[in-house]
Amino acid sequence: MKAIRKTIYFLLAGTLLFMSLTACQPSKTPEPEGPVTITYWHTMSDPETEQLGNVIAAFEAANPNITVEATRYAYDDFKPALLTALAGEEGPDTARLDIAWVSEFADQGALMQLDGVMPGFEEIIAGTFPGPLSTNYWEGHYYGLPQNTNTQVLLWNREVFEAGGATPPETMEEFAQVACDLTEGEEQYGYALGGTYFWAPAPVFYAMGGQIVDDDITTADGYINGPESVAAFTMLKDLFDQGCISPNVLGGGIGTADGHATGLYAMIIDGPWMVDIYKGNYPEFEVNFAPIPTGPDGTTSSVVGGEDLVIFEGTEHADAAMKWAAFLLSEESQKMMAEVGVIPTLSGLTGDPSMPEYFAVFLEQLETAQARVPHPKWGDMDGAINNAFQRMLRGDQSVQAALDQAAGEINELLGAEPVEVSVEPAAITYWHTMSDPETEQLGNVIAAFEAANPNITVEATRYAYDDFKPALLTALAGEEGPDTARLDIAWVSEFADQGALMQLDGVMPGFEEIIAGTFPGPLSTNYWEGHYYGLPQNTNTQVLLWNREVFEAGGATPPETMEEFAQVACDLTEGEEQYGYALGGTYFWAPAPVFYAMGGQIVDDDITTADGYINGPESVAAFTMLKDLFDQGCISPNVLGGGIGTADGHATGLYAMIIDGPWMVDIYKGNYPEFEVNFAPIPTGPDGTTSSVVGGEDLVIFEGTEHADAAMKWAAFLLSEESQKMMAEVGVIPTLSGLTGDPSMPEYFAVFLEQLETAQARVPHPKWGDMDGAINNAFQRMLRGDQSVQAALDQAAEEIDALLQ
């Protein structure tokens, strides 16, 4: 939900800025004479909304010239409604905002500065809890007041504790011990968290002395990855590994509320709303609260929640709005709202006999509870910590490395210095199928990597292509697989589907920046069911090869469109003495460049159906053109087997045109050293664009690796410009789109790099091999005249759809 709200927000941010709002020294709009009406928007519950009516009545009785019009919104609708209204200069005068939003709205100039402006402001804030108050502070000023608050404390199940002979822990050391003492396999867990988003571990984190950023919010380095923060997450990680924390923290399982009430979870950490939740769902359950256990320094802490009262900069009734704000922070109003379970923000109400009894532990906890970072980009920071927590729990990274990465991501959000991710000494294994020249150059790449990373050693092992997959499968089955490997692009989805590969998005440092610089076609081969499981290490594609001697003899020029291609193919055909075009076979790789350039598509973008795609009009048109050329004798019959191969036939003038890859340069250099190799882009299809098919290999990290941090560094290096340029020296085409036009690239790379801008991958699916077979068989049937093009592709669509079920 946060991501959706954030998107809407930034779409409208420009409009907000256009409103000429200022947050420096706001000037109040003069009050009109006579009665005024101020608007107040909120997201209160039914009981709160009903009580708000009494609060408004009390305020209006004390201020007969001011009327308050309150409007309630559903939480998910509130922020979009506010942004839309503010953009149209029709926003409310005041509102109760989520504490995480105040800095965001203040940063856009939408909120009125209160310090130095609002009468009695200093006296009001002096009586509030410091944690809730801090959520209103942004860049030297206060833009709101803490209207209501909450925090989290320890909840303990008395029945479970008494059965285990335990008492509520008072220190974090005792907490860890009790969590394990009260764990009984899968029958009972000592502790459970509701998730990995920061709110869940925050009380433990803060009590242990953790800190996300420095006090001035300028850097996360040394804070989220500092010793206290690392200690907090290490304790949670250790408890999780020991089975003392329920696995529901990573999703699934029984929720914390239900699990705690039924005795599955001895302890949870949650807020005051649990009283009403248990009253409604488990009326017989005894709710027991205790303070968050103290950390190493002997103090307790927790995390602040709640809402703040703000006044919008565009209000025409600033004086009345400030009176309303002051009343909402008054003891009278705060006590009225407390009657319906709203925890006050006035610290002076701690111990007040009018407060509900269970408020006591929360009010005491609020004395030291801390706010999450009051910054417009808190949502993204929360995401960085959430991802780090998941990586460490899953064993993808050490606690230190995960938090180092989070520090780097948060620093990027803050515009601060980058953070070097630490990696423990490790020897990682790397399996591949490189050629002799590539293997020799790989040694230089490894040497460069190890020089830059002296604590990491890379052990590379080469396999013959046909032996590689069986060797991998055997090793993985015996839990002896490599840490990393260079896989055929067609294998990535297959291994990912089996759970053998490590997910890289959201895990690998700098992943988004790396993939932003790669060609989209090669990158797509690493995507499976919503995640990336590899990186495009090297790539290739096919372009048109044309024999200059044959073309000049026939008075032809390289075709630029598919219409010209078909015409040239027939113009340069001379019976069995010469064919205008030759394909290497009927497997999809051979016709793929023509198929994609003609607009063909095998399946829909979500890979759910082939019907209407492989047998759709564009696909049918592509195969019809090839079928017609074959029937006219303009395509060599070797496509169905036998005859002279495309490479030999093209070099000797038998085939005027073929479509093939960059390896042809070395093939011709070795076999036909006098032959001039000429490349051209694949001719454009009916829509005027060119395309081709993606080949190559992807770098993957296996899920079972014990050196994930080191493996990710190796992966990042293989995708670096340094490594990609080194491999280009031995004919390996890079996957970095930024190297297109680079003068260090071999001259003939240019046409391939340009072609890669639009080249498409074959379907990234574990059953691609079977799909390829269906298309191969269809192509053979239509060429032999066993079926029409449409019928053959209809059958292929049915076969592929059956594979997708």
Side-chain angles (χ1 to χ4, degrees):
M1 293 188 300
K2 287 183 180 178
I4 296 173
R5 293 198 297 272
K6 205 167 185 67
T7 300
I8 297 172
Y9 178 70
F10 284 111
L11 286 173
L12 291 169
T15 311
L16 286 171
L17 290 171
F18 179 73
M19 293 165 61
S20 300
L21 304 177
T22 177
C24 296
Q25 285 294 329
S27 57
K28 294 183 293 180
T29 304
E31 291 291 313
E33 296 181 3
V36 298
T37 297
I38 58 172
T39 50
Y40 172 67
W41 290 8
H42 64 88
T43 58
M44 294 184 185
S45 65
D46 288 342
E48 290 172 349
T49 300
E50 185 177 349
Q51 185 72 319
L52 176 65
N54 297 324
V55 171
I56 290 173
F59 172 75
E60 291 178 346
N63 299 273
N65 63 330
I66 305 175
T67 301
V68 178
E69 289 184 357
T71 303
R72 180 168 74 159
Y73 286 85
Y75 183 86
D76 289 346
D77 299 333
F78 191 35
K79 198 172 187 183
L82 267 176
L83 292 167
T84 302
L86 291 170
E89 299 186 6
E90 296 179 352
D93 298 294
T94 66
R96 191 186 77 158
L97 296 190
D98 187 304
I99 59 174
W101 299 352
V102 175
S103 60
E104 195 174 336
F105 277 84
D107 189 56
Q108 293 299 321
L111 303 183
M112 181 175 143
Q113 176 190 317
L114 299 185
D115 54 297
V117 178
M118 180 176 173
F121 180 80
E122 295 300 327
E123 292 76 12
I124 292 172
I125 66 172
T128 62
F129 289 110
L133 174 63
S134 70
T135 65
N136 295 280
Y137 194 75
W138 177 243
E139 294 194 338
H141 294 286
Y142 287 95
Y143 292 91
L145 286 166
Q147 182 174 344
N148 58 271
T149 190
N150 60 65
T151 188
Q152 296 187 84
V153 298
L154 185 73
L155 281 79
W156 56 284
N157 184 305
R158 185 182 298 277
E159 186 176 338
V160 174
F161 267 66
E162 290 180 349
T167 56
E170 296 182 0
T171 68
M172 279 296 166
E173 188 175 2
E174 293 174 2
F175 170 78
Q177 185 62 51
V178 169
C180 288
D181 287 347
L182 297 181
T183 293
E184 299 178 2
E186 296 182 359
E187 301 301 315
Q188 183 176 291
Y189 294 95
Y191 177 49
L193 293 92
T196 52
Y197 50 96
F198 182 69
W199 175 261
V204 170
F205 177 84
Y206 284 136
M208 290 283 286
Q211 194 171 342
I212 299 172
V213 294
D214 65 318
D215 293 339
D216 295 325
I217 316 180
T218 61
T219 183
D221 191 24
Y223 296 90
I224 187 62
N225 61 341
E228 294 84 0
S229 303
V230 170
F233 278 109
T234 296
M235 185 186 76
L236 293 171
K237 162 70 170 165
D238 289 346
L239 289 174
F240 180 78
D241 289 345
Q242 295 167 46
C244 306
I245 288 180
S246 167
N248 76 293
V249 64
L250 288 175
I254 296 175
T256 53
D258 294 322
H260 183 60
T262 57
L264 178 61
Y265 308 140
M267 298 182 290
I268 63 172
I269 291 177
D270 220 314
W273 43 82
M274 299 306 293
V275 170
D276 289 335
I277 289 175
Y278 286 137
K279 189 181 293 182
N281 299 336
Y282 299 93
E284 304 301 318
F285 178 63
E286 177 188 338
V287 187
N288 291 287
F289 298 114
I292 298 297
T294 60
D297 66 354
T299 60
T300 179
S301 189
S302 190
V303 62
V304 168
E307 286 86 18
D308 294 328
L309 186 285
V310 300
I311 300 173
F312 290 95
E313 180 65 23
T315 180
E316 295 180 353
H317 308 298
D319 291 340
M322 287 187 286
K323 284 198 171 190
W324 170 237
F327 186 77
L328 288 174
L329 269 287
S330 69
E331 188 171 303
E332 177 184 359
S333 173
Q334 294 266 300
K335 282 187 173 182
M336 290 176 72
M337 293 307 297
E339 294 173 12
V340 290
V342 177
I343 291 185
T345 59
L346 302 182
S347 57
L349 292 177
T350 301
D352 190 289
S354 68
M355 295 292 106
E357 185 178 356
Y358 71 91
F359 272 24
V361 66
F362 291 98
L363 290 168
E364 290 173 7
Q365 192 73 69
L366 280 162
E367 296 287 350
T368 56
Q370 301 176 56
R372 290 154 288 179
V373 183
H375 190 280
K377 293 184 178 178
W378 163 249
D380 295 322
M381 297 181 196
D382 193 356
I385 302 170
N386 172 65
N387 291 338
F389 195 17
Q390 289 197 16
R391 292 194 299 273
M392 62 181 80
L393 289 180
R394 291 193 169 106
D396 295 334
Q397 282 181 299
S398 67
V399 174
Q400 184 70 63
L403 294 180
D404 283 345
Q405 181 177 333
E409 292 170 0
I410 294 172
N411 269 14
E412 186 174 350
L413 295 168
L414 294 174
E417 291 295 319
V419 178
E420 178 65 22
V421 177
S422 61
V423 178
E424 299 172 358
I428 57 172
T429 50
Y430 172 66
W431 291 8
H432 64 88
T433 58
M434 293 185 185
S435 66
D436 288 341
E438 291 173 347
T439 300
E440 183 177 352
Q441 184 71 319
L442 175 64
N444 297 324
V445 170
I446 291 174
F449 172 75
E450 292 178 345
N453 300 273
N455 58 338
I456 307 174
T457 302
V458 179
E459 298 175 356
T461 303
R462 181 169 72 160
Y463 286 84
Y465 183 86
D466 291 343
D467 299 333
F468 190 34
K469 197 172 186 182
L472 268 175
L473 293 170
T474 301
L476 291 171
E479 297 185 1
E480 296 179 351
D483 298 294
T484 64
R486 192 185 78 157
L487 295 190
D488 187 302
I489 59 174
W491 299 353
V492 175
S493 60
E494 188 176 345
F495 277 84
D497 191 55
Q498 295 299 318
L501 304 183
M502 184 175 135
Q503 175 189 319
L504 299 185
D505 53 297
V507 177
M508 180 177 172
F511 180 79
E512 296 299 329
E513 292 76 13
I514 291 172
I515 66 173
T518 62
F519 289 111
L523 174 63
S524 70
T525 65
N526 296 280
Y527 195 75
W528 175 243
E529 293 195 338
H531 294 287
Y532 288 94
Y533 292 92
L535 286 166
Q537 182 175 345
N538 58 273
T539 191
N540 59 66
T541 188
Q542 297 187 82
V543 298
L544 186 73
L545 281 78
W546 55 285
N547 184 305
R548 183 182 299 277
E549 186 176 335
V550 173
F551 266 67
E552 290 180 349
T557 57
E560 296 182 0
T561 68
M562 280 296 167
E563 188 174 2
E564 293 174 2
F565 171 77
Q567 185 63 52
V568 169
C570 288
D571 287 347
L572 296 181
T573 294
E574 298 178 3
E576 297 181 0
E577 300 301 315
Q578 183 175 290
Y579 294 95
Y581 177 50
L583 294 92
T586 53
Y587 51 95
F588 183 68
W589 174 261
V594 169
F595 176 85
Y596 284 136
M598 290 285 286
Q601 194 171 343
I602 298 172
V603 294
D604 64 320
D605 293 338
D606 295 325
I607 315 181
T608 61
T609 184
D611 190 29
Y613 295 91
I614 188 61
N615 59 341
E618 293 84 359
S619 302
V620 170
F623 277 109
T624 296
M625 184 185 77
L626 292 172
K627 162 70 170 168
D628 289 347
L629 289 175
F630 181 77
D631 288 347
Q632 295 168 45
C634 306
I635 288 181
S636 167
N638 77 294
V639 64
L640 287 174
I644 297 176
T646 52
D648 294 322
H650 183 60
T652 57
L654 178 62
Y655 308 141
M657 297 182 291
I658 62 172
I659 291 177
D660 220 313
W663 44 83
M664 300 306 293
V665 170
D666 287 335
I667 288 175
Y668 287 137
K669 189 180 295 182
N671 299 334
Y672 298 93
E674 303 301 319
F675 179 63
E676 178 188 339
V677 188
N678 292 287
F679 298 114
I682 299 297
T684 59
D687 66 355
T689 60
T690 180
S691 189
S692 191
V693 62
V694 167
E697 285 85 18
D698 294 327
L699 186 285
V700 300
I701 301 173
F702 289 95
E703 183 65 28
T705 180
E706 296 179 355
H707 307 296
D709 297 338
M712 288 188 285
K713 283 226 168 191
W714 170 237
F717 186 77
L718 288 175
L719 267 290
S720 70
E721 188 171 302
E722 178 183 359
S723 173
Q724 295 266 301
K725 282 186 173 181
M726 289 175 74
M727 293 306 296
E729 293 174 12
V730 291
V732 177
I733 290 186
T735 60
L736 302 183
S737 57
L739 292 178
T740 300
D742 190 286
S744 69
M745 295 293 105
E747 186 177 354
Y748 71 92
F749 272 24
V751 65
F752 291 97
L753 289 169
E754 289 174 8
Q755 192 72 70
L756 280 163
E757 295 287 351
T758 56
Q760 301 177 55
R762 290 154 288 179
V763 183
H765 190 280
K767 295 184 178 178
W768 163 249
D770 297 323
M771 298 181 197
D772 193 357
I775 301 170
N776 174 59
N777 293 336
F779 194 18
Q780 289 196 18
R781 291 194 301 272
M782 64 181 78
L783 290 180
R784 291 192 171 106
D786 298 334
Q787 280 182 302
S788 68
V789 173
Q790 184 70 62
L793 294 179
D794 284 344
Q795 182 176 330
E798 290 181 11
E799 293 171 0
I800 294 172
D801 275 353
L803 295 168
L804 294 174
Q805 298 305 312

